[in-house]
Amino acid sequence: MTDLRLGALGFGLRGSLARVAHRPGRGSRVTVVAEHDPAQRDRAADRIPGVRTVDDHHEVVDDPDVDAVLVLTPDHTHADIACRALRAGKPVLVEKPLDITIERCDLILRTAHETGTRLYVGHNMRHMPVIRLMRDIIARGGIGTVKTVWVRHFVGYGGDWYFKDWHAERRCTTGLLLQKGAHDIDVLHWLAEGFTERVQALGGLMVYGDNPHRRAPGEPKTDDWYTKDGHWPAHTQRSLNPVIDVEDVSLVNMRLDNGVLAAYQQCHFTPDYWRNYTVIGDAGRLENFGDGPGAVVKVWNSRRSGQRDRADAEYPVPAVDEDAEHGGADPLLIDEFLRFVRDGGRTDTSPVAARMAVAAGFRATQSLRDGGTPLDVPPLDPELVAYFERGQVREEA
């Protein structure tokens, strides 16, 4: 099988996805990386043997020797770059979130529809073992019909990963309720098999907003911007982004279009870093304890009782290679993208679902900043829904 020649646009935090996609002799190789930061270009050249680096993404999009592109740039740039690549006939993987507003997400989907170029969205959590396990339990009726879903996201490294660069700025993300929450909202939708139609949210900038230790505009992050064991408690963080105008804690209530009620909570100054999902059906409930190797999903469904640590069924989360990114999800995401570029067809990730996750996060952020006003989430154009549900195949005349 001839390797697909991939171009990576951006080599920041998600440059790891380009490294995973570089598989010479095994289906794909990253031949060129576009990155405006010289230090990151050097990093890409060091991490991907033989790769060519450039400072302009247009060189990659317009290159006839590039078969498909990975859009790994900051969120607010996704629509402009992805649409250019789609119009150039290059299949595109867009890192999540799809973009930072509903309108820009819809622009990407409309462009994919108009051009017929294949669009894939990097919602890698749909490939995480813990998520697949919970979905399988639900699909085989382990808790009956889903009625409510509660998600708590403890972002233990929030001060490192999200308040020291562009993630901390509304102009680049809308807010972390969208940027970080798009993952969990998408998973919530997938487990409940519905999309959010109404939201109500509260939140605030409770810790990092009072921290005066900011870098000067244009000053790069320090070499020790992230350490696994340091920078704790949260108020001891230093060299934060010059601008911080996003919330570090948020709470959202959601009503889905199938009647399911859901709640999502996100905090960026916890000591632990993991996600907790509780899914309750009309015949039981499940909950995960941990979200990586060594974690377990417990199911209570045989009888009523008081608190029981020992559940009716316990399912260990499957182990993955120690160095596999995101609990083994990233390699599986790239597998699916490469298959989709070559053969087309339906995928476990969904451009429609990616748009709906952004739409819910965007409207929830508006609600939060308006004091908790309930807001409706606009649906997607039915023609686009049908197109992507067919696996991006045009309807026969």
Side-chain angles (χ1 to χ4, degrees):
M1 179 173 58
T2 303
D3 287 342
L4 286 170
R5 299 164 299 180
L6 304 179
L9 309 179
F11 203 76
L13 291 179
R14 287 303 275 150
S16 58
L17 203 60
R19 297 199 305 273
V20 171
H22 187 61
R23 310 169 172 183
R26 295 184 292 123
S28 64
R29 53 193 172 94
V30 176
T31 59
V32 57
V33 171
E35 169 59 61
H36 70 88
D37 184 342
Q40 296 289 42
R41 288 199 300 273
D42 291 343
R43 178 170 162 265
D46 180 63
R47 300 291 181 88
I48 303 177
V51 75
R52 179 168 64 95
T53 63
V54 298
D55 63 1
D56 186 351
H57 72 269
H58 295 91
E59 291 188 44
V60 178
V61 171
D62 297 335
D63 188 341
D65 293 326
V66 169
D67 301 313
V69 300
L70 312 176
V71 178
L72 310 177
T73 53
D75 302 347
H76 66 297
T77 68
H78 288 179
D80 294 340
I81 296 174
C83 287
R84 181 178 175 86
L86 291 166
R87 293 189 187 104
K90 297 284 200 302
V92 177
L93 183 156
V94 183
E95 171 61 355
K96 75 89 214 165
L98 189 55
D99 204 281
I100 69 169
T101 70
I102 300 171
E103 291 77 15
R104 289 175 65 80
C105 289
D106 289 357
L107 175 61
I108 297 174
L109 268 60
R110 281 198 304 272
T111 302
H113 177 243
E114 291 166 1
T115 62
T117 308
R118 290 171 178 163
L119 170 66
Y120 186 89
V121 186
H123 271 284
N124 58 354
M125 282 189 65
R126 289 194 175 209
H127 292 285
M128 285 181 66
V130 66
I131 304 302
R132 308 287 287 210
L133 176 58
M134 290 189 292
R135 184 169 162 83
D136 288 346
I137 294 168
I138 293 167
R140 61 177 180 256
I143 59 172
T145 302
V146 173
K147 295 298 182 182
T148 189
V149 183
W150 308 336
V151 183
R152 298 182 300 166
H153 192 182
F154 310 106
V155 192
Y157 297 112
D160 300 85
W161 294 102
Y162 301 102
F163 289 88
K164 292 182 178 175
D165 63 11
W166 57 266
H167 292 85
E169 302 184 37
R170 295 184 185 189
R171 68 180 183 86
C172 299
T173 63
T174 291
L176 295 173
L177 178 51
L178 186 162
Q179 202 287 330
K180 190 67 171 162
H183 261 322
D184 294 294
I185 295 171
D186 177 62
V187 168
L188 186 156
H189 287 166
W190 204 38
L191 296 178
E193 296 191 333
F195 293 131
T196 299
E197 65 177 12
R198 192 165 177 79
V199 296
Q200 182 276 325
L202 296 172
L205 182 55
M206 303 183 73
V207 171
Y208 300 110
D210 294 333
N211 190 323
H213 299 280
R214 313 288 180 90
R215 301 191 315 280
E219 181 183 353
K221 290 192 290 188
T222 59
D223 290 340
D224 68 342
W225 67 271
Y226 162 75
T227 64
K228 186 172 183 180
D229 300 317
H231 305 162
W232 176 259
H235 67 264
T236 66
Q237 288 281 4
R238 298 294 182 266
S239 299
L240 298 177
N241 199 61
V243 176
I244 297 177
D245 59 4
V246 298
E247 295 76 16
D248 54 19
V249 63
S250 54
L251 308 91
V252 189
N253 294 316
M254 295 170 271
R255 185 178 68 217
L256 277 55
D257 54 14
N258 58 2
V260 170
L261 295 177
Y264 173 60
Q265 302 172 12
Q266 179 189 104
C267 182
H268 285 263
F269 44 87
T270 60
D272 47 344
Y273 198 172
W274 66 292
R275 293 168 164 94
N276 173 254
Y277 293 86
T278 296
V279 185
I280 305 175
D282 57 9
R285 78 173 180 95
L286 65 77
E287 183 174 357
N288 68 297
F289 293 84
D291 54 12
V296 63
V297 175
K298 297 185 178 184
V299 177
W300 293 265
N301 60 5
S302 70
R303 59 188 173 87
R304 291 181 297 183
S305 70
Q307 191 275 337
R308 283 187 286 142
D309 183 62
R310 186 174 183 82
D312 296 300
E314 299 188 6
Y315 303 89
V317 174
V320 298
D321 293 339
E322 286 188 13
D323 59 350
E325 295 281 349
H326 285 93
D330 280 2
L332 296 174
L333 183 85
I334 292 298
D335 288 346
E336 186 173 63
F337 173 63
L338 298 176
R339 188 271 298 165
F340 178 62
V341 171
R342 292 181 184 279
D343 304 324
R346 291 182 174 84
T347 58
D348 282 338
T349 66
S350 161
V352 171
R355 183 270 190 189
M356 293 305 299
V358 169
F362 184 83
R363 295 295 270 167
T365 303
Q366 289 183 315
S367 169
L368 181 159
R369 292 173 184 164
D370 192 39
T373 302
L375 296 173
D376 292 330
V377 177
L380 181 62
D381 181 343
E383 183 180 14
L384 293 178
V385 173
Y387 173 72
F388 288 102
E389 286 184 348
R390 289 194 300 268
Q392 302 184 42
V393 175
R394 298 195 183 283
E395 191 172 20
E396 295 183 6

